[in-house]
Amino acid sequence: MHLKGSKMKKAVLSILVAACASATSVATPVGIEWKPSEKMPVSVARPFAGFLPDGRFIVAGGTDFVANPEGVREKTCFADVCVRSPDGTWTKAAPLPHAAGEGVTCETPRGVFCAGGYDGANVYSDAYILTGDGIEPLPSMPAPVMMGAAACDGEKVYVVSGRTIYSLALSGGEWVKVAELPGGVRSQMVAAIQNGDQKEKRLVIFGGYDIETKEPLSDGYALVLSSGELKPLAPLPDGMTTIGAVLLPSGHQHVLMFGGLGKEGWIARAINGSRETDPVKLGWQRKILAYNCVTDAWCEYGALADGDTPRCGAAAGIRPGKTPESYTVIIAGGEKAPALRTDVVSVASFRKTGKFGATAWAVVGVYALLMVGMACFFIFKKKDENDYFRGGNRIPWYVAGMSIFATMLSSITFIAIPTQAYLQDWRYFVMAFFIIGMAPVAIYYYLPFFCRLGITSAYEYLEKRFNLGVRLFGSAAFVVFMVCRVAVVTLLPAIALNAVTGVSIDACILICGVLTMIYCSLGGLEAVIWSDFVQGIVLMGGAVSVLVLLIMKTGGAGEHLATFWSVADEYGKNKMWDFRLLFTQPVFWVVAVQGLISNLSSYTSDQCVIQRYIATPDENATKRSLWFNGCMSVFAQVVFYGIGMALFAFYHTHPEAMDVTMPKGDSVLPIFMATEMPPWLAGLVIAAVFAATISTLSANLSSASTAVVTDFIKRFNPGIPGRTQIRCGQICTYVVGVIGIMAALTLARMESSALFDNFNKYIAMLTAGLTGLFFMGVFMPRVKGMAAVCGLAANYFVCFSCEILHCNVFGLKFHPFLLGGIGLVVCVLVAYVCSLVFNEKGRDLTGLTLKTLKKN
């Protein structure tokens, strides 16, 4: 059932060599695809514009040069409002309160925000929202605004005017001065709001020109919305300005810049007084620029359609879709030459270029057939309830250790940890130290109970130690936690498969979940553990291959490793230690608490792991399996955090390789797999993602069904036949699986920049109480049943109250990672105090606490 050492080494070496050989040029995963041009009813530049929530596109106001009675063309402002329906039909709506052009505008959830502008004589400060069917007034700006920039984050609008940044809550309130840009007063800057590095949502601002000197500016700044801090960004590419350009957010972390004037052309006309009118000689831009707000890198991203002329001051918008092909990009009107407007409307969508081909599918298919063959072996193997729920107590220690490793790793590790390191750094790696650090604690203090009491469910101990109510509550809480874990574990590989293959996320969730339910329900624990062993090998082989390939694709020949490290070091991606005395940020102390609670919970109260403790022949074998798991886990964490750091370095040096429509941060590794990996290796890595998913999902389903059958069905029907127990276990597997799949389908429709933080938060909240129960059972003989129940109730009350209050209690804010630690402390303290109050009569504790167990 396992590879010999020499064969395994050869297999791994062949993977690494092939990965290195495949390090060639990069690919563009998504391109822009232009449709036939349209016409709109007006020819204007610098209007208010944007998409309405219902998909209509609005163009309001703007300027044009119109001949006066003497025949002289003068700049004229308009109040017309034109609306384009999704089918391309234009209609006119009620006009603006007054003619206005060159104001600031952006899209909001309520409609198109408009502020300021001028009518040829006056510059305004009024603000309002165009809903397409009317006007929603807003408080006027503190000062008149013209040629500035605006962006919206949910219910808050930001306006950059001159050098000042203002904000307004759309739900009510007044304009607030947020920050000031360095330098002098500027005009014609561009701005957008997007997710950035360190998981910070940012208002990014670029360029413009100095009003006094007319000097074009290429600098960039990011206003961190959570803290108000202003950070410098990479400047515009050489020769580029934002004068006449528009900046639009796209996907999870990009902004796209359309149009604009070349630097030399602006200097020639605005500073040197040239009368040149040829847009080509003036450097008017047909090309599109993309900026990645995480990797801080610019690149060219295609150009306008061949028949469309470059424009400045155009109306523009990007409407996201579920797929790149369902995006809608509109560039309407604008100035096609100095003082010359156009009514041309350019419409585009995106197209995927990376494909998951036949070779990759063949590799996945071969892996799937091998797993089916293994499943069939165990499905048709004769087994009783001990085989089904306990693996017959004959699992070798190294197989059990690999099974624990594969179970705890899961697709969360494969997808979410590289995303975490790519978006942030290594600060969460601190949790890995608690994995191996927990081995001696589990071996010395907890393992004797599980191995010597002859239990099938970990929660049987709670009844022996406390009472039936504690057992039932603990088991039920664990099953609820398993449903939540099934949802997350099923969703992440679905995101990967969608990004790589194009198959819908819903279909991926259903395929993965249903296949695992069938496999797990028929094969039992022994099939799950042995498949974990094989899947763990495939998992790490694929992960190491990805890391090597990423490094080989970063930097020039002979400089791969140096470039990888220098980029990571420059942007702080190799940072691990943060000892600031803070409670609101994931600094060392906060992450350490999360690592302690999550690993203490996993190795002392999680039926998934404990079920593997009792599947080995004896206690010594279980000890060896725990040490094996600890060493493998730390190695895996190094590899996966390294992948995240390498992803950042690769996409910083090759920004054109990133998908500008990427919907979630968790898609970054799958996108690399789809576009940069050779087909056979992409197939292998997808197989590894499948392996991680199936190993964890099957463990979750198996342990949940075991808990239900043992702690509820068998507990109240002690004489139930073994075959009936197995059938009940199979039914429970399907029930838990179906509920988990439904939860995964719901999660897929929720907005989340990355799932890793939320998963760690909820795992601590849901399991801190269980951890407290087992801790009190082992170390606190005074605590009896009633006191334990009070402690448990206090834990959940405090944890969920803090979550509802967004971790802000009586003005004291703290990071969600501290919820588990707070819950555990509350649970233990309340239980101890209640034990003094209730003074319950003790039951026979022989063998059920650490003290009595060591004596025996």
Side-chain angles (χ1 to χ4, degrees):
M1 294 300 298
H2 58 88
L3 294 172
K4 293 183 179 179
S6 61
K7 290 184 178 180
M8 185 183 297
K9 290 177 182 177
K10 290 180 181 179
V12 173
L13 285 175
S14 66
I15 291 172
L16 296 181
V17 171
C20 294
S22 66
T24 55
S25 60
V26 299
T28 301
V30 172
I32 193 163
E33 189 169 65
W34 294 100
K35 301 175 182 179
S37 297
E38 303 174 1
K39 300 285 187 180
M40 66 177 179
V42 294
S43 300
V44 293
R46 298 192 178 280
F48 302 120
F51 278 101
L52 297 170
D54 60 9
R56 292 179 294 167
F57 185 77
I58 197 165
V59 176
T63 67
D64 191 8
F65 282 82
V66 179
N68 62 17
E70 289 76 27
V72 179
R73 297 179 72 243
E74 296 179 340
K75 182 182 283 191
T76 305
C77 298
F78 299 92
D80 297 326
V81 176
C82 299
V83 182
R84 178 188 182 273
S85 63
D87 64 3
T89 304
W90 287 88
T91 57
K92 284 199 172 185
L96 299 176
H98 54 79
E102 303 182 356
V104 297
T105 185
C106 66
E107 297 169 7
T108 78
R110 303 185 183 193
V112 175
F113 168 79
C114 312
Y118 91 119
D119 62 3
N122 304 300
V123 179
Y124 292 92
S125 61
D126 56 341
Y128 44 87
I129 290 177
L130 299 179
T131 65
D133 302 308
I135 294 178
E136 179 183 330
L138 295 173
S140 294
M141 300 240 359
V145 58
M146 175 180 166
M147 293 289 196
C152 181
D153 176 37
E155 286 289 305
K156 183 172 284 190
V157 170
Y158 293 83
V159 169
V160 188
S161 177
R163 59 189 298 262
T164 305
I165 304 173
Y166 301 97
S167 71
L168 173 71
L170 297 178
S171 57
E174 298 295 328
W175 288 94
V176 176
K177 181 179 177 181
V178 178
E180 287 196 350
L181 298 172
V185 177
R186 62 179 72 199
S187 181
Q188 296 203 45
M189 68 291 285
V190 293
I193 287 176
Q194 187 55 283
N195 300 299
D197 191 24
Q198 301 300 315
K199 299 184 180 179
E200 298 167 338
K201 184 167 281 191
R202 301 173 169 190
L203 170 68
V204 294
I205 306 162
F206 290 101
Y209 69 89
D210 189 293
I211 288 183
E212 290 188 6
T213 65
K214 306 295 184 183
E215 185 71 23
L217 305 171
S218 60
D219 54 345
Y221 299 92
L223 176 72
V224 180
L225 301 189
S226 61
S227 65
E229 181 184 3
L230 203 62
K231 296 183 177 180
L233 300 177
L236 295 170
D238 291 341
M240 298 297 299
T241 75
T242 63
I243 298 165
V246 61
L247 194 69
L248 301 172
S250 177
H252 178 266
Q253 54 196 234
H254 280 85
V255 290
L256 301 183
M257 193 169 85
F258 297 87
L261 188 65
K263 185 174 182 179
E264 292 184 3
W266 171 259
I267 292 175
R269 279 185 64 91
I271 298 179
N272 298 333
S274 170
R275 295 186 176 273
E276 179 63 61
T277 59
D278 186 343
V280 175
K281 293 181 179 179
L282 291 173
W284 287 29
Q285 295 300 316
R286 293 188 67 255
K287 63 186 177 183
I288 304 165
L289 296 180
Y291 173 76
N292 188 314
C293 297
V294 172
T295 62
D296 192 32
W298 286 93
C299 68
E300 290 188 22
Y301 187 76
L304 293 176
D306 291 339
D308 291 349
T309 58
R311 282 164 278 171
C312 289
I318 296 178
R319 181 169 176 79
K322 291 185 177 180
T323 64
E325 292 77 13
S326 61
Y327 269 66
T328 302
V329 182
I330 290 182
I331 310 295
E335 195 172 24
K336 63 181 181 180
L340 186 61
R341 307 306 195 240
T342 181
D343 60 357
V344 171
V345 180
S346 302
V347 183
S349 61
F350 297 99
R351 69 180 186 280
K352 293 190 73 169
T353 57
K355 294 183 179 179
F356 198 69
T359 302
W361 279 117
V363 173
V364 175
V366 169
Y367 170 77
L369 288 175
L370 291 174
M371 296 310 300
V372 168
M374 177 178 288
C376 290
F377 173 80
F378 287 103
I379 287 171
F380 295 109
K381 182 180 178 182
K382 186 177 180 180
K383 51 185 172 287
D384 57 20
E385 68 273 19
N386 187 55
D387 294 317
Y388 190 87
F389 294 114
R390 294 167 60 98
N393 301 105
R394 55 176 172 265
I395 304 298
W397 66 266
Y398 56 89
V399 176
M402 181 65 83
S403 178
I404 296 173
F405 164 73
T407 297
M408 301 311 295
L409 227 60
S410 80
S411 58
I412 296 169
T413 304
F414 210 120
I415 303 297
I417 288 184
T419 300
Q420 155 64 32
Y422 165 79
L423 292 174
Q424 203 158 12
D425 47 39
W426 280 58
R427 67 183 62 205
Y428 288 11
F429 184 80
V430 172
M431 289 189 277
F433 297 127
F434 289 93
I435 298 176
I436 197 166
M438 198 53 59
V441 175
I443 288 171
Y444 185 78
Y445 294 109
Y446 290 86
L447 195 59
F449 296 98
F450 303 127
C451 291
R452 300 178 194 179
L453 294 178
I455 58 178
T456 300
S457 163
Y459 312 105
E460 292 181 71
Y461 168 76
L462 296 179
E463 180 180 4
K464 296 176 182 291
R465 173 63 176 83
F466 297 112
N467 57 43
L468 176 61
V470 174
R471 173 185 179 178
L472 297 180
F473 189 94
S475 183
F478 170 76
V479 172
V480 171
F481 165 55
M482 283 298 98
V483 169
C484 298
R485 198 161 194 250
V486 164
V488 176
V489 169
T490 309
L491 173 61
L492 283 173
I495 293 172
L497 291 172
N498 170 258
V500 174
T501 67
V503 179
S504 73
I505 290 180
D506 289 354
C508 292
I509 289 172
L510 291 171
I511 292 170
C512 188
V514 171
L515 289 178
T516 306
M517 281 193 297
I518 296 172
Y519 163 74
C520 178
S521 65
L522 297 178
L525 181 62
E526 190 173 16
V528 169
I529 290 179
W530 275 104
S531 65
D532 286 350
F533 176 71
V534 176
Q535 289 159 357
I537 295 172
V538 176
L539 176 75
M540 289 314 301
V544 172
S545 300
V546 171
L547 178 58
V548 172
L549 183 61
L550 272 165
I551 294 175
M552 293 302 295
K553 280 181 170 285
T554 301
E559 299 178 352
H560 307 297
L561 193 59
T563 304
F564 155 73
W565 186 258
S566 63
V567 171
D569 186 60
E570 178 184 356
Y571 285 88
K573 292 299 169 179
N574 54 6
K575 180 180 178 181
M576 182 187 305
W577 310 110
D578 187 348
F579 293 109
R580 290 177 297 168
L581 293 176
L582 299 174
F583 296 101
T584 58
Q585 300 294 322
V587 295
F588 173 82
W589 323 104
V590 173
V591 177
V593 170
Q594 173 64 23
L596 174 63
I597 298 303
S598 61
N599 286 291
L600 183 64
S601 167
S602 296
Y603 294 101
T604 65
S605 64
D606 189 335
Q607 174 68 12
C608 289
V609 177
I610 295 168
Q611 200 166 5
R612 282 146 181 77
Y613 292 171
I614 58 180
T616 55
D618 54 50
E619 192 172 327
N620 287 329
T622 305
K623 293 177 181 178
R624 288 194 292 270
S625 71
L626 274 170
W627 283 115
F628 180 85
N629 161 73
C631 295
M632 282 294 297
S633 296
V634 172
F635 169 71
Q637 295 283 320
V638 172
V639 172
F640 285 108
Y641 276 94
I643 288 174
M645 191 166 68
L647 281 168
F648 182 92
F650 171 76
Y651 284 118
H652 176 79
T653 54
H654 301 287
E656 71 281 5
M658 177 61 85
D659 181 356
V660 299
T661 66
M662 183 176 71
K664 296 176 181 287
D666 298 286
S667 300
V668 61
L669 177 56
I671 286 171
F672 176 83
M673 291 157 48
T675 57
E676 303 299 331
M677 301 182 78
W680 68 269
L681 187 53
L684 175 66
V685 176
I686 282 295
V689 174
F690 264 124
T693 304
I694 293 172
S695 62
T696 303
L697 192 55
S698 59
N700 296 161
L701 296 176
S702 175
S703 59
S705 65
T706 299
V708 173
V709 171
T710 305
D711 296 320
F712 293 90
I713 297 175
K714 186 180 177 181
R715 171 61 179 79
F716 295 104
N717 300 275
I720 187 172
R723 297 305 303 172
T724 304
Q725 291 182 43
I726 293 176
R727 276 195 295 273
C728 290
Q730 292 170 338
I731 293 172
C732 291
T733 297
Y734 289 116
V735 171
V736 173
V738 168
I739 297 174
I741 289 172
M742 292 173 62
L745 293 171
T746 303
L747 281 176
R749 287 156 176 77
M750 296 173 62
E751 292 293 329
S752 179
S753 59
L755 291 172
F756 190 62
D757 285 345
N758 288 330
F759 176 77
N760 276 289
K761 175 179 70 175
Y762 286 111
I763 192 176
M765 289 175 58
L766 291 171
T767 60
L770 289 176
T771 306
L773 285 179
F774 282 89
F775 180 87
M776 292 183 291
V778 173
F779 297 104
M780 302 172 65
R782 182 181 184 88
V783 176
K784 309 299 189 302
M786 193 63 181
V789 170
C790 291
L792 194 63
N795 155 76
Y796 285 115
F797 175 78
V798 169
C799 283
F800 285 97
S801 295
C802 291
E803 171 65 8
I804 292 171
L805 295 172
H806 303 292
C807 299
N808 185 353
V809 181
F810 301 118
L812 177 64
K813 296 183 179 180
F814 52 89
H815 194 275
F817 277 11
L818 294 176
L819 282 176
I822 293 171
L824 178 60
V825 171
V826 167
C827 179
V828 171
L829 289 179
V830 170
Y832 181 76
V833 171
C834 289
S835 71
L836 299 177
V837 174
F838 296 143
N839 194 25
E840 297 176 80
K841 297 295 181 180
R843 57 168 59 198
D844 181 13
L845 299 178
T846 303
L848 298 181
T849 62
L850 181 66
K851 182 177 179 181
T852 53
L853 185 72
K854 294 302 179 183
K855 286 182 179 180
N856 294 332

